[in-house]
């Protein structure tokens, strides 16, 4: 099954979503994939060139970029942009090059792609952190037992992101000057929103990491600090959990906004360890605030609300949605099988907020993923996992463990 689906994936490498041209395409059953190798800039360029039409169409239709650009044109917004860019050129210059490569390959302005990475850091810069109505968001669950080790995730995003994503399977070979700045060889696969850095969704790396991301919304943000998309991009290079924790802490600067990461780490002995880390700005220190929890017997369930870290959050849809989805998920028995996770990811019992959000709303489920770590497979669904076949099944390759 996996090998058959893998052949299908290879044939889909050249598939590109149709440009909407102002017309709705509906929910397309397609998962474009690019296999790419090279320096950070080269990989970015080939992603941009291959998916130029998707990226341009996304930028033309995504309402968020209009808000970001409006803020960018203000004095406070431009200062926040310039400070953030300067800090990232010092901390992660090779990821800035990656973004530049995408911009050049797709023939779109660099500043628009960098604004995507800043996200709510630029959106709220002139609001003085007044309460905002963020929308929500992704649902993740994981468990391990003697039969299986599973991570499930709904990828929820702005409705304009539907049909505007792809999977990037990359082998990064850093340029010599990038190695001098700390870049390392990377092998990973990640679902990517069009024009965004890989990492801020779900995927795996060659060092034994399988992961998913949940957006979190602290009320107070630190404009100019590291955007979460840069930290999750750096996570793709993590060698082990300790290394991931170092990246998340971002000592010397710290994250500017918030998220949580769900991780299953596999070591060379075949042992699996499940973690959730909640990440938030630290206003007392130049580093991220972390809350780490390991899961051995109990399943991991996380949505878009801080469960353990003492963080003041926004009010509104993202919190109400998270509470509703957590309640719906917790009404199921503890998951014991892959089928159980598919059922939970597909839940539509909620009146206003559903785990698998189908309808037209500010936020909808654009895809779902189930990682079977023991079978080394990543199944990607466009429709409800309990009632549809995966559109693609990608083999999970832990290169550093297997060779």
């Amino acid at each position: 099954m996996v090998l058959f689906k893998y052949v299908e994936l290879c044939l889909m490498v050249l598939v590109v979503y149709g440009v909407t041209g102002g017309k709705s395409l509906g929910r397309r059953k397609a998962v474009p994939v690019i296999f790419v190798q090279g320096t950070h800039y080269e990989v970015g360029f080939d992603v941009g060139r291959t998916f130029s039409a998707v990226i341009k169409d996304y930028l033309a239709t995504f309402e968020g970029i209009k808000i970001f650009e409006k803020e960018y044109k203000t004095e406070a917004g431009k200062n926040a942009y310039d400070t953030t860019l300067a800090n990232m050129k010092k901390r992660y210059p090779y990821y800035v090059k990656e973004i530049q490569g995408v911009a050049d390959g797709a023939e779109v302005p660099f500043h628009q792609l960098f604004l995507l990475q800043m996200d709510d850091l630029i959106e709220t810069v002139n609001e003085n952190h007044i309460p905002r109505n963020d929308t929500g968001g992704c649902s993740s669950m994981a468990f391990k037992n003697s039969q299986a080790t599973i991570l499930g995730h709904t990828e929820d995003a702005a409705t304009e992101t539907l049909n505007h994503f792809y999977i990037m399977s990359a082998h990064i070979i850093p340029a010599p000057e990038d190695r001098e700045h700390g870049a390392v060889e990377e092998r990973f696969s990640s679902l990517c929103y069009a024009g965004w850095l890989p990492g801020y969704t779900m995927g795996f790396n060659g060092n034994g990491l399988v992961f998913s991301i949940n957006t979190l919304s602290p009320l107070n943000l630190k404009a100019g600090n590291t955007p979460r998309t840069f930290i999750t991009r750096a996570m793709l290079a993590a060698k082990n959990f300790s290394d991931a924790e170092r990246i998340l802490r971002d000592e010397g600067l710290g994250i500017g906004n918030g998220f949580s990461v769900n991780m299953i780490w596999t070591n060379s002995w075949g042992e699996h360890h499940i973690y959730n880390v909640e990440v938030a700005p630290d206003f007392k220190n130049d580093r991220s605030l972390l809350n780490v929890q390991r899961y051995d017997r109990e399943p991991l369930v996380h949505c878009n609300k801080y469960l353990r870290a003492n963080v003041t959050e926004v009010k509104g849809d993202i919190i109400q949605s998270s509470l509703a989805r957590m309640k719906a998920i917790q009404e199921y028995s503890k998951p014991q099988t892959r089928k159980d996770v598919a059922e939970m990811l597909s839940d539509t019992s909620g009146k206003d907020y559903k785990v698998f959000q189908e309808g037209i709303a500010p936020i909808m489920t654009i895809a779902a993923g189930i990682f079977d770590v023991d079978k080394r497979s990543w199944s990607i669904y466009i429709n409800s996992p309990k009632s549809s076949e995966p559109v693609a099944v990608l083999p999970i390759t832990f290169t550093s463990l297997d060779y």
Side-chain angles (χ1 to χ4, degrees), residues 177-396:
E177 63 271 20
D178 293 331
R179 288 186 185 275
E180 292 177 3
H181 288 98
V184 298
E185 187 173 359
E186 301 178 59
R187 296 177 189 266
F188 63 82
S189 293
S190 171
L191 187 146
C192 308
Y193 302 161
W196 294 64
L197 283 168
Y200 193 64
T201 51
M202 57 177 159
F204 64 89
N205 77 7
N207 299 322
L209 170 65
V210 167
F211 72 93
S212 68
I213 303 295
N214 306 113
T215 295
L216 299 178
S217 294
L219 177 60
N220 298 308
L221 308 180
K222 294 178 75 173
N225 279 41
T226 308
R228 55 195 171 201
T229 54
F230 274 84
I231 291 181
T232 54
R233 171 65 188 87
M235 283 278 295
L236 296 176
K239 298 179 179 65
N240 48 47
F241 178 75
S242 295
D243 195 32
E245 195 171 19
R246 174 191 62 80
I247 292 166
L248 293 167
R249 196 170 300 282
D250 197 37
E251 198 74 45
L253 191 58
I255 195 170
N257 40 13
F259 72 96
S260 84
V261 55
N262 312 286
M263 296 179 276
I264 300 179
W265 280 96
T266 300
N267 62 28
S268 56
W269 294 277
E271 299 171 329
H272 307 305
H273 300 288
I274 302 175
Y275 301 89
N276 171 269
V277 184
E278 296 178 342
V279 189
D282 188 334
F283 288 88
K284 296 180 180 179
N285 302 285
D286 292 328
R287 60 174 181 256
S288 305
L289 180 67
L290 305 185
N291 187 294
V292 180
Q293 182 158 323
R294 179 170 162 175
Y295 295 80
D296 291 317
R297 294 189 178 92
E298 293 299 310
L300 180 162
V301 179
H302 212 289
C303 295
N304 304 102
K305 186 182 187 308
Y306 287 97
L307 300 180
R308 305 176 307 275
N310 184 20
V311 176
T312 302
E313 298 176 270
V314 301
K315 297 179 180 179
D317 282 346
I318 193 166
I319 303 301
Q320 297 307 314
S321 173
S322 293
L323 292 171
R325 284 179 282 130
M326 286 289 288
K327 181 180 178 182
I329 292 168
Q330 289 169 347
E331 286 180 355
Y332 288 83
S333 300
K334 292 180 182 179
Q336 300 293 323
T337 66
R338 186 185 187 282
K339 183 180 178 181
D340 293 341
V341 170
E343 287 276 345
M344 295 161 78
L345 292 177
S346 304
D347 186 89
T348 57
S349 62
K351 179 180 178 182
D352 298 314
Y353 306 107
K354 307 176 191 306
V355 177
F356 196 95
Q357 187 69 43
E358 279 275 19
I360 300 300
I363 294 291
M364 67 186 304
T365 303
I366 63 170
I370 298 180
F371 298 85
D372 188 324
V373 182
D374 293 310
K375 293 183 178 179
R376 300 282 185 91
S377 68
W378 174 19
S379 299
I380 302 120
Y381 298 81
I382 300 301
N383 297 104
S384 164
K386 76 173 182 180
S387 58
S388 68
E389 288 288 318
V391 175
V393 179
L394 198 67
I396 297 172

Side-chain angles (χ1 to χ4, degrees), residues 62-276:
F62 179 45
E63 287 296 322
I65 195 65
K66 299 175 184 177
I67 298 172
F68 303 162
E69 292 227 73
K70 181 180 178 181
E71 299 296 330
Y72 171 71
K73 292 175 182 177
T74 67
E75 181 178 357
K78 187 62 165 61
N79 287 340
Y81 176 96
D82 289 342
T83 301
T84 307
L85 179 57
N87 283 335
M88 293 305 96
K89 284 184 174 179
K90 292 178 182 177
R91 184 162 295 256
Y92 292 119
Y94 32 93
Y95 297 146
V96 175
K97 288 182 181 179
E98 202 169 291
I99 298 169
Q100 186 67 64
V102 175
D104 291 348
E107 298 182 334
V108 298
F110 170 86
H111 82 274
Q112 288 190 328
L113 300 190
F114 196 79
L115 287 172
L116 293 180
Q117 317 311 320
M118 290 187 68
D119 197 10
D120 54 2
L121 289 173
I122 191 72
E123 181 181 9
T124 60
V125 72
N126 284 304
E127 291 185 3
N128 196 28
H129 306 300
I130 63 173
R132 60 190 191 273
N133 187 26
D134 285 13
T135 51
C138 304
S139 305
S140 295
M141 57 202 70
F143 74 89
K144 65 174 182 176
N145 57 32
S146 58
Q147 283 76 46
T149 303
I150 304 289
L151 170 64
H153 179 72
T154 61
E155 191 57 51
D156 297 357
T159 54
E160 302 96 321
T161 314
L162 185 68
N163 305 324
H164 292 91
F165 66 88
Y166 41 82
I167 290 175
M168 175 179 172
S169 185
H171 177 195
I172 306 287
I173 305 171
E177 63 271 20
D178 293 331
R179 288 186 185 275
E180 292 177 3
H181 288 98
V184 298
E185 187 173 359
E186 301 178 59
R187 296 177 189 266
F188 63 82
S189 293
S190 171
L191 187 146
C192 308
Y193 302 161
W196 294 64
L197 283 168
Y200 193 64
T201 51
M202 57 177 159
F204 64 89
N205 77 7
N207 299 322
L209 170 65
V210 167
F211 72 93
S212 68
I213 303 295
N214 306 113
T215 295
L216 299 178
S217 294
L219 177 60
N220 298 308
L221 308 180
K222 294 178 75 173
N225 279 41
T226 308
R228 55 195 171 201
T229 54
F230 274 84
I231 291 181
T232 54
R233 171 65 188 87
M235 283 278 295
L236 296 176
K239 298 179 179 65
N240 48 47
F241 178 75
S242 295
D243 195 32
E245 195 171 19
R246 174 191 62 80
I247 292 166
L248 293 167
R249 196 170 300 282
D250 197 37
E251 198 74 45
L253 191 58
I255 195 170
N257 40 13
F259 72 96
S260 84
V261 55
N262 312 286
M263 296 179 276
I264 300 179
W265 280 96
T266 300
N267 62 28
S268 56
W269 294 277
E271 299 171 329
H272 307 305
H273 300 288
I274 302 175
Y275 301 89
N276 171 269

